[in-house]
Amino acid sequence: LDPATRTRIGDLPHGHGLLGLVIREKRPIRMADLTRDHRRHGFPPHHPSMTSFLGVPITTGKTVFGNLYLTEKIGANEFDAEDEGIAVLLAGQAAVAVENARLLEQVRDMQRQRDLFFAMMNHELRNALTGVYGWAERLVRRRSAEGAEQAAQEVYEGTERTITLLNNFLDLSRLDAGKLRPVWREVEPIGEVQRVLTGFGPAAEDKRISFKLEAP
């Protein structure tokens, strides 16, 4: 079709007539004159005339996701078995191409998830280790006796969180295999924020930065 004819036709076929039949029956359909078949659907205005017809489904496994059809065979009144064989082969190649494109997109999605996972783990591990280091330094230098107990507790809890993060990191292979599922739990937001601020306490103090938590 030239661009002007294509524009005049308007919407593309919706698969209500013979094209829908190709999809529903999942088999090639050939006919010499489709205008005589009661299953055909009316053509839109300005559509070129079509008489001979060959339609084949495009399938992957048991799923039909499209069709390939030809009309008006050049040099003959109708399509033959050889034409059908070529069309079936072409539809099979199209199905492989589409399936490969889908698999490629799945791989890209997995790579994006992997990159996001690595970025998140890098961020969380840095935060956890910063807190552990800061409180451990206080224990080693013993700046104040009264703070030793809190420092020891923070080192213990921070190390525990770091081990949990590392275990999550080792679960990456399970994430790729689709065997890792989210674990949902309720948290008390203010307490979580306060825990984070406490972890950064020593590092903030060394830089003369103070945190203030304001929450309803």
Side-chain angles (χ1 to χ4, degrees), residues 142-213:
R142 294 187 178 276
R143 293 183 179 179
S144 62
E146 61 274 12
E149 184 175 349
Q150 181 187 5
Q153 183 65 28
E154 293 295 334
V155 168
Y156 174 80
E157 293 180 0
T159 304
E160 192 175 42
R161 287 193 295 271
T162 304
I163 291 174
T164 300
L165 287 169
L166 287 171
N167 286 334
N168 291 339
F169 185 75
L170 294 175
D171 279 334
L172 182 61
S173 60
R174 292 171 59 200
L175 179 69
D176 283 347
K179 297 178 181 178
L180 195 63
R181 294 291 178 265
V183 176
W184 299 91
R185 63 184 177 87
E186 293 186 359
V187 298
E188 198 280 305
I190 297 178
E192 290 294 312
V193 174
Q194 186 59 60
R195 177 183 63 77
V196 173
L197 296 183
T198 301
F200 278 101
E205 186 177 312
D206 288 343
K207 295 180 180 295
R208 292 185 172 85
I209 296 174
S210 62
F211 294 123
K212 181 181 181 182
L213 173 60

Side-chain angles (χ1 to χ4, degrees), residues 23-212:
I23 292 176
R24 289 192 300 274
E25 296 194 359
K26 302 179 182 180
R27 66 176 180 83
I29 295 179
R30 262 192 298 142
M31 56 185 62
D33 189 354
L34 61 85
T35 63
R36 297 182 179 181
D37 193 290
H38 69 279
R39 297 167 297 184
R40 72 181 181 88
H41 198 271
F43 298 118
H46 309 295
H47 195 291
S49 61
M50 295 192 298
T51 306
S52 58
F53 176 85
L54 168 61
V56 296
I58 301 176
T59 63
T60 55
K62 296 181 179 179
T63 303
V64 179
F65 62 86
N67 57 59
L68 169 69
Y69 74 97
L70 304 99
T71 64
E72 300 300 278
K73 179 173 179 177
I74 299 174
N77 293 328
E78 61 182 303
F79 296 95
D80 57 24
E82 183 180 2
D83 298 325
E84 181 179 316
I86 294 173
V88 169
L89 179 63
L90 181 58
Q93 293 173 337
V96 170
V98 171
E99 188 64 21
N100 286 343
R102 287 179 173 178
L103 290 173
L104 179 60
E105 186 58 31
Q106 289 177 8
V107 170
R108 287 173 176 169
D109 287 341
M110 185 177 292
Q111 186 60 49
R112 284 192 288 267
Q113 292 179 27
R114 182 196 293 268
D115 293 342
L116 180 62
F117 183 82
F118 275 122
M120 179 189 70
M121 287 302 304
N122 179 58
H123 177 75
E124 292 297 325
L125 282 171
R126 283 176 181 269
N127 286 349
L129 290 173
T130 297
V132 170
Y133 178 83
W135 286 104
E137 185 183 32
R138 284 196 171 190
L139 276 177
V140 171
R141 295 184 179 181
R142 294 187 178 276
R143 293 183 179 179
S144 62
E146 61 274 12
E149 184 175 349
Q150 181 187 5
Q153 183 65 28
E154 293 295 334
V155 168
Y156 174 80
E157 293 180 0
T159 304
E160 192 175 42
R161 287 193 295 271
T162 304
I163 291 174
T164 300
L165 287 169
L166 287 171
N167 286 334
N168 291 339
F169 185 75
L170 294 175
D171 279 334
L172 182 61
S173 60
R174 292 171 59 200
L175 179 69
D176 283 347
K179 297 178 181 178
L180 195 63
R181 294 291 178 265
V183 176
W184 299 91
R185 63 184 177 87
E186 293 186 359
V187 298
E188 198 280 305
I190 297 178
E192 290 294 312
V193 174
Q194 186 59 60
R195 177 183 63 77
V196 173
L197 296 183
T198 301
F200 278 101
E205 186 177 312
D206 288 343
K207 295 180 180 295
R208 292 185 172 85
I209 296 174
S210 62
F211 294 123
K212 181 181 181 182

